[in-house]
């Protein structure tokens, strides 16, 4: 174990961020848990912990950290989107939609939310509203946006098939 007490909070957060960027989850998590053991309260700490726990499929831990952050700072749209993703993974579709709707209230054309909410609507058999969101994404996002090509693919799939959810959209649904 490293001598983590040699570092201050900002240094440990920065080092943990580098670890996570390199997919060194264990090393990053070690630093983050050390800060937690010191009872540090930080939006960045909870954001990183939420992300790590989501990657590790420790979904309730992810909910706890994203929720703690959002209780302090409800304006964090990325984390609210991520909390929705975690709820979707937990099959708590209403909670996922609530969080995504909160993002859309602030930024009505937030591409990741438009895309994933559209897929959620497909999963609950609302293809009409799903198409509305996908078309809004295509109309408002930059053409080189990550979600534009995926939205086009889902729309093409919907146009080509009577099936609402197919293996292609399930595969796209797993993209975070």
């Amino acid at each position: 174990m490293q001598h983590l007490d040699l570092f201050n909070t900002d240094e440990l957060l920065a080092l943990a961020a580098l670890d996570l960027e390199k997919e060194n989850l264990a090393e990053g998590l070690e630093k983050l848990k050390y800060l937690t053991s010191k009872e540090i309260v930080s939006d960045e700490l909870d954001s990183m912990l939420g992300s790590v726990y989501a990657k590790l499929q420790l979904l309730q831990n992810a909910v706890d950290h994203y929720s703690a952050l959002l209780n302090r700072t409800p304006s964090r749209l990325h984390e609210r989107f991520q909390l929705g993703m975690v709820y979707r993974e937990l099959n708590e579709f209403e909670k996922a939609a609530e969080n995504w709707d909160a993002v859309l209230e602030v930024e009505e054309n937030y591409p990741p939310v438009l895309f994933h909410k559209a897929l959620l609507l497909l999963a609950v058999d609302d293809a009409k509203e799903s198409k509305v969101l996908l078309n809004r994404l295509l109309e408002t996002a930059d053409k080189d946006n990550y979600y534009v090509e995926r939205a086009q693919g889902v729309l093409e799939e919907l146009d080509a098939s009577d099936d609402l959810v197919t293996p292609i959209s399930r595969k796209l649904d797993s993209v975070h």
Side-chain angles (χ1 to χ4, degrees):
M1 183 171 175
Q2 300 174 7
H3 299 286
L4 298 179
D5 55 337
L6 297 175
F7 302 97
N8 69 33
T9 299
D10 290 336
E11 291 167 337
L12 285 171
L13 288 171
L15 290 168
L18 287 174
D19 289 335
L20 300 179
E21 187 178 303
K22 295 176 184 177
E23 296 293 320
N24 295 329
L25 298 183
E27 293 166 16
L29 184 57
E30 178 183 26
K31 292 170 181 75
L32 298 174
K33 288 184 67 85
Y34 174 81
L35 290 170
T36 300
S37 75
K38 297 295 183 188
E39 299 182 10
I40 301 297
V41 176
S42 158
D43 288 353
E44 293 310 310
L45 174 61
D46 280 320
S47 178
M48 284 192 263
L49 282 167
S51 176
V52 169
Y53 286 131
K55 286 179 184 178
L56 295 173
Q57 292 295 300
L58 298 170
L59 300 178
Q60 189 55 54
N61 289 357
V63 167
D64 293 345
H65 286 282
Y66 283 138
S67 295
L69 180 157
L70 291 167
N71 285 335
R72 287 189 309 272
T73 314
S75 62
R76 300 278 297 245
L77 297 184
H78 176 74
E79 287 81 0
R80 185 152 315 272
F81 161 68
Q82 290 295 343
L83 180 58
M85 294 295 289
V86 172
Y87 278 129
R88 194 205 59 202
E89 299 248 343
L90 289 167
N91 293 320
E92 294 186 37
F93 297 150
E94 285 182 30
K95 288 182 179 180
E98 286 173 18
N99 278 282
W100 292 339
D101 288 342
V103 171
L104 293 175
E105 285 177 18
V106 176
E107 192 173 322
E108 66 183 353
N109 297 317
Y110 195 79
V113 170
L114 292 174
F115 180 76
H116 286 287
K117 186 172 180 195
L119 292 181
L120 180 66
L121 290 168
L122 284 177
V124 297
D125 296 331
D126 191 349
K128 182 179 177 182
E129 186 61 25
S130 176
K131 286 181 181 182
V132 168
L133 293 179
L134 291 170
N135 282 313
R136 183 175 5 149
L137 171 59
L138 294 179
E139 292 166 7
T140 60
D142 293 334
K143 299 304 173 209
D144 63 347
N145 184 285
Y146 176 83
Y147 292 99
V148 167
E149 181 180 338
R150 282 139 194 87
Q152 288 170 332
V154 174
L155 283 169
E156 289 169 8
E157 179 182 307
L158 287 171
D159 290 341
S161 173
D162 291 336
D163 295 330
L164 295 179
V165 180
T166 66
I168 294 171
S169 61
R170 281 195 192 101
K171 183 176 179 182
L172 288 172
D173 190 35
S174 69
V175 176
H176 289 239

